Amino acid sequence: MSNLTISPKLTNQLSGTELSFIQSHLHECKIDGVLCAYLDARMLPCPMPLLKAKIALRTMNDGESLYLIASDKNSQTDLVAFCQKQGYGITDWRSDVKTNNTENYFHFIITKNTGV
């Protein structure tokens, strides 16, 4: 069970659909912390999810987390390698989405730790 909470500031920024989406997927994440940013990078080709994550992380404080979802399979490799290099915490998982075709969505919780 996750003890990851959504910050009030982020709650106010999200639409009801986005908030419900995030809450429905947090049970798959087994980390503690405060989710302060959300980035929907589905349908963006590599390296855009990584570039957008870098920009979002610049404005975040140590200990804050970013929830990013992407559909490009290369994002998983790129984001994990980036986080390891930077010393950021990362939890990732995949979910299957059944539509016309089966797509994989890659979920990431990235926790900024610059004091490592």
Side-chain angles (χ1 to χ4, degrees), residues 2-114:
S2 172
N3 284 327
L4 191 63
T5 58
I6 301 172
S7 74
K9 180 181 175 185
L10 181 59
T11 300
N12 291 334
Q13 293 173 351
L14 297 172
S15 70
T17 304
E18 290 171 323
L19 187 58
S20 295
F21 176 84
I22 292 171
Q23 290 171 330
S24 70
H25 286 85
L26 284 184
H27 71 278
E28 299 178 54
C29 178
K30 297 181 176 30
I31 64 169
D32 297 336
V34 179
L35 190 62
C36 295
Y38 171 68
L39 180 57
D40 186 346
R42 292 178 284 190
M43 309 314 294
L44 293 179
C46 193
M48 290 307 295
L50 174 60
L51 296 174
K52 289 190 172 282
K54 286 180 177 181
I55 291 168
L57 288 162
R58 282 187 203 146
T59 64
M60 295 172 57
N61 296 318
D62 280 358
E64 293 181 336
S65 296
L66 163 69
Y67 182 179
L68 184 144
I69 182 168
S71 54
D72 188 312
K73 65 181 179 178
N74 294 320
S75 296
Q76 189 170 34
T77 304
D78 290 349
L79 284 162
V80 170
F82 167 75
C83 289
Q84 289 173 341
K85 183 177 179 181
Q86 296 298 316
Y88 296 165
I90 186 165
T91 300
D92 64 315
W93 69 94
R94 182 184 318 187
S95 65
D96 294 329
V97 177
K98 307 277 193 254
T99 55
N100 295 337
N101 299 318
T102 300
E103 294 183 40
N104 288 317
Y105 286 155
F106 301 93
H107 303 258
F108 305 90
I109 303 291
I110 301 170
T111 305
K112 187 172 181 180
N113 299 313
T114 57

